Amino acid sequence: MRKILIAAIGVHVFQQICGVEGILLYSPRVFERAGMIGKSNLLLATVGMGISQALFTFLSAFLLDRVGRRILLLISGGGTIVTLLGLGVCMAIVEHSKEKQLWAVSYIIVFIYIFVAFAGIGFGPITWVYSSEIFPLRLRAQALGVCVTVNRISNVLVVTSFISVYKKIKMSGSLFMYTGITALACWFYFTLPENEGLGL
């Protein structure tokens, strides 16, 4: 049970500490830091994120049993690493430039949409599917209760620390930090056994 519990808790912790919830919740601040102005523009950009996440989460439901849970987790992790790195580079250019970089703002919006898409196709929904499938029936309720508790605690830690972290190390620094954490998540996902097609 120890390895199963580590695998389940690990996917729940990494789902949160990769920064997805912080970026989703504070997306208007991220867009403002990038140089976007106007409440209607900020609202439109935020709505676009929600649409991107919904579409790719829906797509994930069709790919789960065709591609496999572990493969989708690795694709998701790899995609979020690349997009977080791109976001961090563009944000660093904006933060260190004295003039407004309109091209960087456009790239930041595109990178955030792709980032949310990769999160939606992989570690967003698959965390819940994977952890529900690996526990034996006699312990599933208690074990999933532990996983949900860990997930919510991790979420609260990320969301409540997001603003203070980017104020200390700038927005680009926090994005690079999340890139490193996501790389660690990919290594963890690589060690997980595949459970697609297996009975409970």
Side-chain angles (χ1 to χ4, degrees):
M1 279 304 298
R2 187 174 68 248
K3 287 182 179 178
I4 296 173
L5 200 59
I6 289 169
I9 288 175
V11 293
H12 279 276
V13 168
F14 281 120
Q15 182 195 44
Q16 297 300 328
I17 66 172
C18 289
V20 178
E21 292 297 325
I23 292 170
L24 284 171
L25 187 61
Y26 295 109
S27 58
R29 287 185 185 235
V30 176
F31 291 132
E32 279 179 340
R33 291 277 171 178
M36 185 183 283
I37 53 172
K39 288 186 178 180
S40 59
N41 290 336
L42 292 171
L43 181 64
L44 189 63
T46 305
V47 167
M49 284 176 53
I51 293 170
S52 176
Q53 186 181 29
L55 286 174
F56 281 88
T57 301
F58 188 69
L59 178 63
S60 176
F62 290 101
L63 295 176
L64 270 172
D65 290 324
R66 291 181 175 90
V67 178
R69 286 90 167 111
R70 184 170 166 266
I71 296 296
L72 282 178
L73 284 172
L74 290 170
I75 290 170
S76 178
T80 52
I81 287 171
V82 172
T83 52
L84 279 170
L85 195 58
L87 268 171
V89 169
C90 290
M91 193 64 78
I93 290 169
V94 168
E95 288 171 345
H96 293 95
S97 177
K98 292 178 182 177
E99 298 172 0
K100 191 172 181 180
Q101 303 290 335
L102 290 175
W103 65 270
V105 175
S106 302
Y107 275 110
I108 286 169
I109 293 168
V110 170
F111 275 128
I112 286 181
Y113 282 12
I114 298 171
F115 166 74
V116 169
F118 274 113
I121 205 168
F123 55 74
I126 292 176
T127 295
W128 301 98
V129 174
Y130 191 87
S131 60
S132 69
E133 290 177 338
I134 61 174
F135 290 111
L137 288 172
R138 62 190 172 85
L139 296 171
R140 181 175 296 167
Q142 300 92 322
L144 286 177
V146 170
C147 289
V148 170
T149 303
V150 168
N151 187 289
R152 296 295 85 202
I153 290 170
S154 302
N155 178 275
V156 168
L157 290 174
V158 169
V159 169
T160 55
S161 66
F162 189 84
I163 293 174
S164 54
V165 167
Y166 87 67
K167 283 184 177 177
K168 290 275 186 191
I169 60 174
K170 295 190 175 181
M171 187 64 78
S172 57
S174 65
L175 292 168
F176 289 135
M177 179 190 76
Y178 289 129
T179 304
I181 292 170
T182 308
L184 188 62
C186 273
W187 170 82
F188 180 78
Y189 296 151
F190 189 76
T191 66
L192 294 175
E194 178 59 74
N195 59 355
E196 183 242 332
L198 300 177
L200 294 175

